[in-house]
Amino acid sequence: VVAGSTVELRCGAQGDPMPRVQWHKEHGDLPWGRHEVDQENTLRLHAVMPIDAGTYVCTAQSQLGTTAATARLHV
């Protein structure tokens, strides 16, 4: 993505009961004050900077177990 832009990373998780979804960044924190997660579990990063590059992990957890998916962001 281009520095200064907004990026969306989607995480589709389904189940009954609905799993709890969390986002984190490997080897760092989510950009403080520049990220949000909507009701569809999409992670939105605003005003992306080179420091935001890296691997983002979506983890879905329910009574039946835990699974994770990753997305790699290049700025």
Side-chain angles (χ1 to χ4, degrees), residues 2-36:
V2 177
S5 64
T6 297
V7 65
E8 292 184 351
L9 303 175
R10 291 183 172 82
C11 182
Q14 299 179 17
D16 187 18
M18 186 62 110
R20 187 181 68 153
V21 174
Q22 292 184 308
W23 279 97
H24 73 275
K25 182 180 179 189
E26 281 186 350
H27 313 296
D29 296 321
L30 293 174
W32 191 83
R34 295 185 296 111
H35 80 275
E36 62 181 315

Side-chain angles (χ1 to χ4, degrees), residues 29-66:
D29 296 321
L30 293 174
W32 191 83
R34 295 185 296 111
H35 80 275
E36 62 181 315
V37 178
D38 67 18
Q39 291 184 351
E40 287 81 39
N41 303 315
T42 298
L43 172 64
R44 195 169 290 110
L45 305 174
H46 301 282
V48 174
M49 297 188 286
I51 195 168
D52 298 328
T55 301
Y56 290 79
V57 182
C58 167
T59 304
Q61 181 177 10
S62 74
Q63 299 166 342
L64 299 176
T66 302

